[in-house]
Amino acid sequence: MGTTTARGRASQGAVETSSTVGFSSLTAAALVFVASGAVLVLEILSVRLLTPYIGMTLETTTSVIGAVLAGIAGGAALGGRVADKINPRWLVVGLFIAGGLLVLTTVPIVRALGPAVSEGGALAAVGVTFAALVPVAAALSAVTPTVARLQLRDLQASGTIVGRLSGWATAGALAGTFATGFVLVPLLPVSSTVLGVGVVLVIVGIALGFYTQRMSLGKIAGAGLATVALALLTVVQHHPCLQETEYHCVQLIGDPEHPGLEVLVLDRGYNSEINLANPRYLGFNYEKWVSQAIDGLSPSKAPLDAVFVGGGAFTLARWLETTRPGSRSNVLEVDGQLVEFDRQRLGLRTSADLRATVGDARLTMQRERSHSADVIVGDAFSSRTVPWQLMTTEWLGDVRRVLKPGGIYALNMIDEQPLKLLRAEAATLLGQFSQLRLITYAEPGQIIGGNEVLIASNAPLPAQLPLREPGVHVFGRPAIVALVGKAQPLRDDYAPVDQLETRR
């Protein structure tokens, strides 16, 4: 019994000698709070940084979460081990400065590698994500075990100390998460926020170094110069966005030979084409196909009640307003900043007859009156984002509720061979509508892929849409049933659209 007590006292003395004087409890809590919060801020912002190149998909978020978790695990393990071998007061200074500098490399890494991996699939997405996030997450996650090592001056209180620091680290992560989602992203460009986080971390590191007398003026100057250099690299590097909204990287491409013609690009994918001088103009083929389906519903050009799911440049809604005066349209658009962009840059004028409702269409559709729409147009797809919640059986139940008897649902989607997503969505529509048509480019015996428009109704559709484009084919229900084969309908609890979609 006496021998055990002596060993315990010897171990306690060893801890006190090696740690010397640590930080106060409040300072220690603040350090782990800031470091962990920065990791979560960067995690959320990285999804936004990567989306213009690899899309807002399940693979994107999975890659980001996986990279951050790998960095956290590695940083916690290695940080604790290193803190046992070198003075933790010096180490925590270095971790904050290194973490801040690594944060400042995030934007340049993503923008340098992003264009090369945009067509590389899931493995390329994982590669660029790990390159950008693992080192910085590891450096900042090593702060908590290092600070814990500084605080452990009494082994009998080790559980309390470690638990308290773990709690503060989690609180920092929560604060970073909510601050980013509710404050930073709506207010600031993503690159500016990343820049600010990196600079703050370096400043914290320099302040710690000054406080602990572990940094000479030369080292402080070196850290400052490195910070300025990386910050300038972020600032001068080509920015792919004309404007960053809460959901998209927005660009406009004009045509010098056709003044007034603008192409709206969202996340590096062509989304809409609009002629500011002539709203009747429809440039994209899928827009023409949808317009022909609408004209087939009511050839007399009588006013229609319409719901457009997805705004883009409001091309089809403006076309309907112009070609059928008196029509009433409600455009359901999740991105309110994109709607404002359309007003400022693309001449959009909303009114009682052309409304814009901001919010996720799955929720805003529930506010639409039953049997109130002659036509519903699903146009929320982009080349890099698949709205799975707008493709399921449950969603189509709400579409059917809003449609008038005899109304049509026109869905634009994107898929390439082997067309797994098209087959699954067609199976879903077949279960909800008695009439279904597919319009797309096709060669004899084979659909080429790309844009596909599905026209669904529970009333007879026109025998043939008046299509004139070479290579465009219209498939009826029997051909669609054969195309679907054994594909299963999509449901809210099973809609793996990111895995089913094939991109060029």
Side-chain angles (χ1 to χ4, degrees):
M1 186 71 174
T3 303
T4 302
T5 301
R7 287 177 179 171
R9 289 175 179 170
S11 299
Q12 181 176 326
V15 171
E16 292 174 346
T17 300
S18 63
S19 294
T20 65
V21 180
F23 299 118
S24 68
S25 296
L26 182 60
T27 302
L31 292 176
V32 300
F33 183 94
V34 169
S36 297
V39 172
L40 266 294
V41 171
L42 188 63
E43 178 178 0
I44 297 173
L45 295 179
S46 294
V47 175
R48 305 297 304 278
L49 285 173
L50 288 160
T51 295
Y53 305 105
I54 58 179
M56 180 70 78
T57 67
L58 183 61
E59 283 87 352
T60 305
T61 53
T62 300
S63 298
V64 169
I65 294 171
V68 170
L69 288 176
I72 290 173
L78 293 175
R81 176 168 296 202
V82 174
D84 284 337
K85 297 183 181 298
I86 66 175
N87 191 322
R89 288 188 296 170
W90 178 88
L91 181 59
V92 74
V93 171
L95 289 172
F96 267 96
I97 293 176
L101 295 176
L102 287 169
V103 168
L104 294 175
T105 67
T106 305
V107 173
I109 287 175
V110 171
R111 289 184 180 165
L113 300 180
V117 303
S118 60
E119 306 299 334
L123 288 178
V126 171
V128 68
T129 304
F130 270 60
L133 297 182
V134 169
V136 62
L140 294 174
S141 298
V143 168
T144 297
T146 303
V147 172
R149 182 69 177 84
L150 276 167
Q151 296 298 102
L152 286 173
R153 297 186 292 273
D154 183 358
L155 288 180
Q156 292 182 351
S158 59
T160 300
I161 293 170
V162 172
R164 181 176 68 245
L165 291 176
S166 178
W168 278 109
T170 302
L174 287 171
T177 299
F178 286 107
T180 305
F182 290 100
V183 180
L184 297 177
V185 169
L187 291 180
L188 297 170
V190 172
S191 55
S192 298
T193 305
V194 174
L195 187 64
V197 170
V199 171
V200 166
L201 290 172
V202 173
I203 290 173
V204 170
I206 291 175
L208 284 174
F210 182 80
Y211 171 73
T212 59
Q213 300 179 347
R214 293 287 165 179
M215 288 189 72
S216 64
L217 291 177
K219 291 179 179 178
I220 292 175
L225 287 174
T227 302
V228 170
L230 289 172
L232 287 175
L233 181 60
T234 298
V235 171
V236 303
Q237 197 173 31
H238 171 68
H239 197 299
C241 309
L242 177 61
Q243 179 177 325
E244 286 180 343
T245 70
E246 292 186 50
Y247 291 89
H248 299 293
C249 168
V250 183
Q251 297 172 277
L252 278 181
I253 300 177
D255 187 344
E257 297 182 1
H258 300 88
L261 194 63
E262 300 280 357
V263 175
L264 178 70
V265 180
L266 301 181
D267 301 329
R268 300 179 75 243
Y270 287 3
N271 180 272
S272 308
E273 187 174 20
I274 185 77
N275 189 323
L276 302 181
N278 179 18
R280 295 173 179 267
Y281 172 82
L282 299 175
F284 289 171
N285 285 311
Y286 86 86
E287 296 169 342
K288 298 175 184 177
W289 302 343
V290 172
S291 70
Q292 290 170 345
I294 294 174
D295 284 340
L297 172 68
S298 176
S300 65
K301 297 293 183 180
L304 296 174
D305 294 318
V307 176
F308 293 89
V309 182
F314 284 59
T315 303
L316 281 168
R318 291 196 247 192
W319 167 84
L320 182 65
E321 180 184 44
T322 303
T323 59
R324 293 174 180 263
S327 294
R328 294 175 295 182
S329 298
N330 188 16
V331 180
L332 311 182
E333 172 56 56
V334 70
D335 194 341
Q337 291 177 327
L338 178 60
V339 176
E340 189 59 31
F341 179 90
D342 288 342
R343 290 192 176 107
Q344 294 178 1
R345 299 296 298 266
L346 296 178
L348 173 65
R349 291 182 176 85
T350 53
S351 64
D353 289 337
L354 177 53
R355 296 181 292 130
T357 300
V358 176
D360 190 294
R362 186 65 184 264
L363 302 178
T364 54
M365 179 67 87
Q366 296 173 10
R367 305 175 200 165
E368 297 294 311
R369 292 181 294 107
S370 297
H371 310 304
S372 61
D374 297 293
V375 58
I376 297 175
V377 177
D379 192 15
F381 263 78
S382 77
S383 63
R384 302 181 186 280
T385 303
V386 183
W388 70 267
Q389 75 276 21
L390 306 182
M391 301 188 68
T392 64
T393 298
E394 290 82 355
W395 159 256
L396 291 180
D398 220 19
V399 169
R400 290 182 58 186
R401 176 188 64 79
V402 174
L403 280 175
K404 295 178 181 179
I408 64 169
Y409 176 50
L411 172 64
N412 171 49
M413 59 180 295
I414 302 170
D415 196 20
E416 302 283 349
Q417 291 288 343
L419 304 172
K420 292 181 180 179
L421 182 58
L422 174 62
R423 298 171 196 270
E425 182 61 13
T428 311
L429 287 162
L430 286 170
Q432 299 297 310
F433 293 95
S434 61
Q435 303 294 317
L436 188 62
R437 297 276 174 79
L438 168 63
I439 309 171
T440 187
Y441 283 101
E443 296 175 346
Q446 185 180 39
I447 295 174
I448 297 174
N451 276 96
E452 298 94 19
V453 170
L454 290 155
I455 310 295
S457 180
N458 281 318
L461 293 169
Q464 183 72 26
L465 294 172
L467 298 171
R468 302 182 182 87
E469 295 88 351
V472 177
H473 292 267
V474 180
F475 298 90
R477 185 182 178 96
I480 297 173
V481 170
L483 172 70
V484 166
K486 297 181 179 180
Q488 297 299 309
L490 301 172
R491 310 181 306 277
D492 279 355
D493 64 346
Y494 183 74
V497 296
D498 294 316
Q499 289 74 30
L500 291 172
E501 185 194 28
T502 302
R503 301 180 188 176
R504 184 174 297 171

